[in-house]
Amino acid sequence: MAMATTTIKQVLHYQPEHGVWFAANQALFNRVAAFYFEVIQAHEKVLTLSNKEALTALEKLTHTTQKNPTPVMPLEEILEDIPAMFRRAAINAALGSARSFHSHLARWRKRKEKAEAKGKKFHERPPVPPRTWNKSAILYVGMWKERTDTSIVMKVWTGTWWSWIKVRITGRDLPGAAEMGSPSLIRRGNQWWLHTPMEKQFKSPGKIEKQVTTNAHTKMCAVDLNINENLAVCTIQTVEGTILATKFIHGGRRISGFRKQQLGRIARNRRKTGIIAEGEQDNVHLWNKIRHGDEQVAHVVSARIVQFARQHEATILVFEHLGNLKPAKGKYSKRGNDKRAYWMKGRIFTYAKYKAYNAGILTSRVNPRNTSRECARCHSLVARYNTGQPAEGYISGAPLVFCAQCGMKGNSDRNASLVISQRLITRYQKAQEKPPTPLARERAEKSAGVVTSQDAKGKEEPSIPQAGHGETNEHGTAQDVSLRMEKCTSDILCQLRLPLE
Ligand SMILES: [Zn+2]
């Protein structure tokens, strides 16, 4: 079994005074969490324990009972009568922060030692423990009851006493099949929300190797990520080679233009101010804008990829490895832009992998070598060229490809995505064909006898049939590569635009 987690976000409807209570409740939660962080700092050994053991140890240090009348650091100094489940939620929040802080600290110490061992100066500042606490209160069982689709009863600290209040909920209903985690009371601006993590168990999808080698109808969604206008080009292909659909996800020019604008502003600001203070981030606001833009595009693009895969019931998602970032030449803003586009590609992959997994789709990556230079139909080298120019040579990044060997013509990114999915199939089929324990030399002789060249090898791979059964209203759906691929380049224009704001 596999597990998927999603968070259901619901708006709360409450009287104005309840809003004040939620704030008081959160403030208390943070005071208690900060208190336990101090306790942990004073008793660092707690961090070597499991969460469950640490909880017991911390309660012993702080909680007054008949058996434990004089704890070392009594919690009562903050407030008497804190409900046990409120305390425990705060302890776990403090434990999480403390574990994160101490692992950062340990890594910093290691880097420092390493630098000093090499005789280098070490300027990096050590991580600091949280100065302010702004965590959302988590409601463990016991702090809430009578939850329905439209309401919940919660126990909150009003600032002077503990009170049970009933609050109306709107928004997404909780999915029935999933297991509910502890909800959190979250403030967004002036509005309070209830966020509930949902964990869903599902039958783990079969291993990719098994899917590819045992079922010729397994559908794969192959994705070619780019830094040009087509941020992602996805094709659905079955293992036996039928191409069912293609999707172009645009927005590359827009995000690149946005980044360029911000980077230009940063460069101008820097020229104006001259020296940048060491260790201090300049133009924080502009950097944040760039980061948020990239982050948002990565989320939108990855969601679209997975949505497309689900729509066509693909069970495998294939990308190519990112390769290395080639140091770009040119102005500061150009270099910075390319670097960020490269990072964004990495993020699109990571998010897509996570979103796909939650949908029961597995993700794999293949060798990126020459995916753009190879013909998806016959595996010869293709010519890549710009619209209106002769179909010859290879212009990196140009939108069209032509294969002199088999006559295939089409969109270059789409061709690359087809090559990507074929690589995955080839990988597993080759793995299967391998004799159990061949000697290296034997194998070389054997293969030399059977396969004479890359091209010949290519012909053994699944060929692309001339007729398929894709829906005709799908943009870029292609049954026949040579005919339909040309058409899909003009279809790019009708595709959706990426909303940035
Ligand atoms: Zn070809």
Side-chain angles (χ1 to χ4, degrees):
M1 290 301 263
M3 176 105 78
T5 313
T6 42
T7 302
I8 306 294
K9 300 170 182 176
Q10 294 167 311
V11 181
L12 296 179
H13 301 269
Y14 45 85
Q15 298 158 15
E17 66 188 50
H18 289 169
V20 179
W21 295 3
F22 294 151
N25 188 68
Q26 178 167 315
L28 178 65
F29 186 83
N30 281 299
R31 269 172 68 203
V32 176
F35 165 82
Y36 276 104
F37 191 87
E38 292 293 316
V39 178
I40 297 165
Q41 291 286 75
H43 303 84
E44 270 188 38
K45 272 197 183 145
V46 167
L47 291 175
T48 61
L49 306 173
S50 73
N51 275 357
K52 212 173 163 188
E53 293 164 339
L55 184 87
T56 315
L58 288 168
E59 291 199 320
K60 211 167 208 172
L61 287 166
T62 57
H63 185 46
T64 315
T65 57
Q66 265 183 345
K67 271 191 187 166
N68 188 27
T70 49
V72 189
M73 297 171 84
L75 177 63
E76 284 158 322
E77 283 175 12
I78 291 187
L79 185 72
E80 281 179 33
D81 292 336
I82 291 177
M85 286 305 148
F86 187 90
R87 181 179 70 226
R88 288 190 179 164
I91 291 177
N92 281 329
L95 265 173
S97 294
R99 287 199 198 283
S100 151
F101 167 65
H102 281 274
S103 64
H104 275 115
L105 191 65
R107 263 175 281 162
W108 175 84
R109 284 193 185 126
K110 220 175 218 173
R111 285 198 298 275
K112 189 171 180 229
E113 266 170 37
K114 215 172 163 185
E116 282 168 354
K118 282 185 187 166
K120 281 187 195 160
K121 277 185 187 165
F122 189 71
H123 294 295
E124 205 182 315
R125 291 182 191 175
V128 287
R131 272 167 278 206
T132 55
W133 286 75
N134 193 22
K135 292 203 174 288
S136 296
I138 300 165
L139 305 172
Y140 279 10
V141 177
M143 298 303 290
W144 59 272
K145 59 184 181 186
E146 292 161 32
R147 181 165 188 177
T148 67
D149 281 347
T150 53
S151 70
I152 185 170
V153 179
M154 299 184 282
K155 191 175 188 176
V156 294
W157 174 247
T158 65
T160 34
W161 68 83
W162 291 96
S163 174
W164 283 102
I165 52 170
K166 187 171 181 175
V167 180
R168 214 154 58 76
I169 303 174
T170 53
R172 261 175 86 183
D173 287 352
L174 299 178
E179 199 173 313
M180 195 173 78
S182 291
S184 302
L185 254 177
I186 309 245
R187 175 165 43 193
R188 290 269 170 277
N190 289 323
Q191 176 66 49
W192 288 87
W193 293 67
L194 196 67
H195 285 195
T196 312
M198 302 297 297
E199 283 176 348
K200 203 166 94 183
Q201 300 259 333
F202 60 90
K203 202 172 153 270
S204 19
K207 279 194 173 158
I208 291 180
E209 180 168 7
K210 199 170 171 211
Q211 288 193 48
V212 169
T213 52
T214 58
N215 181 2
H217 300 291
T218 297
K219 288 176 192 159
M220 298 172 300
C221 175
V223 187
D224 180 42
L225 295 178
N226 287 297
I227 57 173
N228 59 19
E229 170 62 3
N230 295 328
L231 285 173
V233 179
C234 321
T235 51
I236 307 278
Q237 198 177 1
T238 62
V239 167
E240 36 122 25
T242 314
I243 302 160
L244 300 171
T246 300
K247 184 182 180 72
F248 290 83
I249 301 172
H250 297 271
R253 261 197 295 277
R254 193 160 167 187
I255 181 69
S256 163
F258 174 77
R259 256 192 240 117
K260 194 178 162 197
Q261 198 182 23
Q262 310 308 325
L263 288 166
R265 278 186 191 154
I266 291 170
R268 278 197 298 282
N269 286 350
R270 283 186 172 176
R271 268 202 299 278
K272 256 186 258 165
T273 44
I275 304 156
I276 301 157
E278 198 183 319
E280 229 173 85
Q281 178 64 279
D282 59 304
N283 295 292
V284 177
H285 174 65
L286 292 172
W287 286 119
N288 278 343
K289 259 175 110 169
I290 295 175
R291 214 180 39 244
H292 289 156
D294 284 346
E295 185 80 356
Q296 202 196 352
V297 169
H299 271 298
V300 172
V301 172
S302 58
R304 293 237 175 111
I305 292 170
V306 175
Q307 188 192 19
F308 178 66
R310 287 179 74 171
Q311 197 185 327
H312 291 276
E313 295 167 337
T315 50
I316 302 169
L317 205 55
V318 200
F319 290 83
E320 56 183 352
H321 280 284
L322 269 189
N324 295 323
L325 172 65
K326 287 178 197 108
K329 283 177 196 147
K331 281 208 302 195
Y332 169 78
S333 56
K334 168 89 173 75
R335 276 180 287 132
N337 205 341
D338 286 354
K339 189 167 70 184
R340 280 175 180 78
Y342 172 82
W343 289 344
M344 194 176 77
K345 270 168 75 171
R347 246 179 265 176
I348 293 173
F349 167 76
T350 312
Y351 296 159
K353 186 177 169 182
Y354 164 76
K355 287 169 187 167
Y357 185 76
N358 276 356
I361 300 170
L362 291 179
T363 303
S364 183
R365 282 202 279 199
V366 298
N367 186 346
R369 198 181 139 81
N370 285 346
T371 43
S372 310
R373 290 176 193 249
E374 193 178 309
C375 169
R377 199 152 71 167
C378 74
H379 304 275
S380 321
L381 292 180
V382 292
R384 190 167 181 181
Y385 60 104
N386 285 310
T387 323
Q389 292 192 347
E392 57 192 31
Y394 189 91
I395 304 164
S396 189
L400 300 172
V401 283
F402 171 66
C403 174
Q405 204 72 32
C406 73
M408 186 274 295
K409 255 185 186 177
N411 176 276
S412 47
D413 296 328
R414 182 173 182 274
N415 177 63
S417 74
L418 290 171
V419 174
I420 289 171
S421 62
Q422 286 163 11
R423 283 217 176 146
L424 186 80
I425 300 168
T426 316
R427 181 203 291 170
Y428 290 117
Q429 287 179 344
K430 270 203 185 125
Q432 274 218 327
E433 281 163 18
K434 262 185 204 161
T437 48
L439 290 167
R441 201 196 297 144
E442 246 183 59
R443 211 163 91 213
E445 281 166 7
K446 236 184 181 174
S447 59
V450 182
V451 179
T452 47
S453 72
Q454 271 307 112
D455 279 358
K457 209 189 251 173
K459 288 202 181 81
E460 287 182 349
E461 279 151 19
S463 60
I464 297 154
Q466 296 298 299
H469 30 70
E471 290 122 31
T472 43
N473 58 356
E474 179 71 49
H475 280 306
T477 299
Q479 284 84 37
D480 182 288
V481 181
S482 59
L483 293 175
R484 295 295 301 272
M485 273 181 80
E486 273 188 313
K487 185 178 172 292
C488 69
T489 52
S490 60
D491 281 344
I492 298 174
L493 299 170
C494 349
Q495 292 286 327
L496 290 161
R497 297 263 143 201
L498 267 183
L500 260 180
E501 308 298 329

